[in-house]
Amino acid sequence: QVQLVESGGGLVQPGGSLRLSCAASGFTFSRWTMSWYRQVSGKERELVAAITSRGGSTNYADSVKGRFTISRDNAKNALYLQMNSLKPEDTAVYYCNANPPRVIGGTWGQGTQVTVSS
């Protein structure tokens, strides 16, 4: 059974930092490109960052480039997102998943809320 458990969100002031973590289980984590996505209530979920199966390549949405860093630890089945210089527009629920999600069955975790506000 696929499980994705996101953690590390919270309330942070503009300019601050957070590190999100994702614990994955129930599938061969090291086989797949993984991504972080985010969703604001009432809007479609958007892709934030992606990392290839062995971590050799990453890419980012233009809105986060230079501020966010995605990484993974295949030995721990873990995905991370280091978020620096946070802006109010980064406020959203953040999710991890395969890219595309359908390759592991389309299951989503509960996400972790990130709120950037003074």
Side-chain angles (χ1 to χ4, degrees):
Q1 180 181 359
V2 170
Q3 284 196 324
L4 299 162
V5 180
E6 300 90 350
S7 62
L11 173 63
V12 62
Q13 291 187 342
S17 298
L18 284 173
R19 187 187 192 222
L20 306 184
S21 298
C22 169
S25 61
F27 64 101
T28 306
F29 180 80
S30 60
R31 182 177 177 184
W32 303 108
T33 292
M34 294 294 295
S35 285
W36 284 96
Y37 304 79
R38 66 186 181 187
Q39 188 170 26
V40 176
S41 180
K43 295 188 176 181
E44 292 210 354
R45 194 171 283 156
E46 64 169 342
L47 177 67
V48 174
I51 185 167
T52 51
S53 59
R54 296 182 181 181
S57 180
T58 58
N59 60 67
Y60 300 89
D62 287 344
S63 58
V64 307
K65 208 169 288 185
R67 300 187 297 121
F68 290 11
T69 303
I70 188 172
S71 61
R72 67 191 296 163
D73 185 337
N74 286 346
K76 296 181 178 179
N77 285 358
L79 184 72
Y80 306 101
L81 186 68
Q82 178 66 42
M83 306 188 296
N84 298 329
S85 302
L86 282 160
K87 303 176 180 181
E89 51 264 44
D90 295 317
T91 296
V93 179
Y94 284 72
Y95 302 87
C96 65
N97 213 318
N99 189 345
R102 60 178 168 77
V103 299
I104 60 168
T107 299
W108 291 88
Q110 83 289 349
T112 186
Q113 175 71 49
V114 171
T115 303
V116 184
S117 175
S118 54

